[in-house]
Amino acid sequence: AHVLEGLVEHYSGHPLALQLIAQTIQQLFAGDDAAFVQEDALIFDDIRDLLDQQFAPLSALERAIMLWLAIEREAVSPQLLRKNLVKPEAGGIFLEALSSLQRRSLLEQSAAGFTLQNVIMEYTTDQLIDQLYREISSGAIDLLQSHALIKAQAKEYVRASQSRLILKPVAERLLAALGQAGLEGQIKAILAMVRQAGPQQPGYAGGNLLNLLLYLKLPLRGYDFSGLTIRQAFLGGLHV
């Protein structure tokens, strides 16, 4: 019973995850939950497959909300969540997207607002990291413009979590794949693209790239941020 309680706590009681876990324990471990726990890593791929199926039909707005909740790391109000959007949707459309995600059991609601359960938070954060890595590697600016890697105004412990769990893996994967010179060249090329898209265009790309450079401790000389909207840049305590 203690083992089962631990499983329920670990997966935040998510019905989809627990249903899959129960089936796996019965089918592969003859009902031996302790044996399952020893092989816990094996189940996560199955849960990821299940979550892949849940994410596939989501609308662009629903997906954007999920990614923002992964960035926020804790419960936030619908008002703050909607304010994060570069182009806030009409209130009715936004609330309907939240309701749709609730019906799919993808959101958790409390007095503080909405958040993601643990297993979904991990999955969605991985989705965010993968897409940001692919975008910056290829020179695209969709998610880079629509979502922030870290939020300068977040509580210090939340910002530290964003830096460790989002900014760090994105930066390290890019550095490993492109090398420092390649990454610097890519950042300069993306900055030029964002600038060409229009002066003062709303979005997070400028702040994201600045935070990336600061995290990697790369000299800012040679990077042209002029004419760009800089949102959520954290300059050692100086918020921009």
Side-chain angles (χ1 to χ4, degrees):
H2 177 70
V3 172
L4 290 176
E5 288 173 6
L7 286 173
V8 171
E9 181 179 355
H10 178 75
Y11 291 108
S12 299
H14 191 274
L16 296 176
L18 294 176
Q19 180 182 358
L20 186 59
I21 289 167
Q23 292 172 352
T24 303
I25 291 174
Q26 198 62 41
Q27 294 170 3
L28 301 183
F29 296 91
D32 185 347
D33 51 10
F36 165 78
V37 171
Q38 292 177 352
E39 301 292 337
D40 184 50
L42 295 177
I43 189 64
F44 201 72
D45 285 337
D46 291 332
I47 294 174
R48 292 181 70 86
D49 290 343
L50 186 61
L51 289 172
D52 283 342
Q53 295 172 22
Q54 292 291 310
F55 266 62
L58 295 185
S59 69
L61 177 57
E62 289 167 347
R63 189 176 294 268
I65 290 171
M66 293 294 290
L67 292 173
W68 268 115
L69 286 170
I71 293 164
E72 292 289 355
R73 311 307 299 175
E74 62 181 10
V76 292
S77 69
Q79 293 81 5
L80 177 59
L81 201 51
R82 183 166 171 249
K83 189 178 178 182
N84 283 337
L85 300 175
V86 172
K87 297 177 180 178
E89 298 284 353
I93 296 173
F94 180 78
L95 291 176
E96 175 52 38
L98 281 178
S99 296
S100 174
L101 292 170
Q102 275 189 295
R103 288 193 297 271
R104 295 175 183 273
S105 300
L106 292 175
L107 298 188
E108 189 172 70
Q109 188 174 14
S110 67
F114 291 96
T115 189
L116 303 177
Q117 297 179 24
N118 292 342
V119 66
I120 301 178
M121 180 77 78
E122 292 173 14
Y123 172 90
T124 310
T125 302
D126 286 345
Q127 294 282 308
L128 177 69
I129 291 166
D130 288 343
Q131 190 171 339
L132 285 167
Y133 166 74
R134 289 196 303 270
E135 279 196 9
I136 298 172
S137 297
S138 65
I141 56 173
D142 295 334
L143 191 63
L144 193 69
Q145 189 77 307
S146 65
H147 288 71
L149 278 76
I150 63 174
K151 293 189 72 178
Q153 287 83 17
K155 299 168 188 170
E156 187 175 350
Y157 70 87
V158 172
R159 191 175 60 250
S161 179
Q162 292 167 339
S163 180
R164 184 179 75 255
L165 298 174
I166 299 172
L167 184 59
K168 178 181 178 181
V170 170
E172 290 182 347
R173 283 181 63 178
L174 286 167
L175 203 54
L178 303 176
Q180 182 173 320
L183 178 54
E184 290 190 77
Q186 199 69 354
I187 291 174
K188 289 175 182 176
I190 295 173
L191 281 172
M193 285 175 58
V194 176
R195 201 162 40 248
Q196 189 176 8
Q200 301 302 321
Q201 179 178 351
Y204 296 94
N208 282 334
L209 293 174
L210 184 53
N211 284 327
L212 190 60
L213 290 169
L214 291 169
Y215 176 81
L216 292 168
K217 295 182 171 57
L218 295 176
L220 298 183
R221 186 177 303 159
Y223 294 93
D224 186 2
F225 286 88
S226 62
L228 299 184
T229 300
I230 305 297
R231 299 175 67 181
Q232 302 300 344
F234 185 73
L235 308 176
L238 175 62
H239 297 172
V240 178

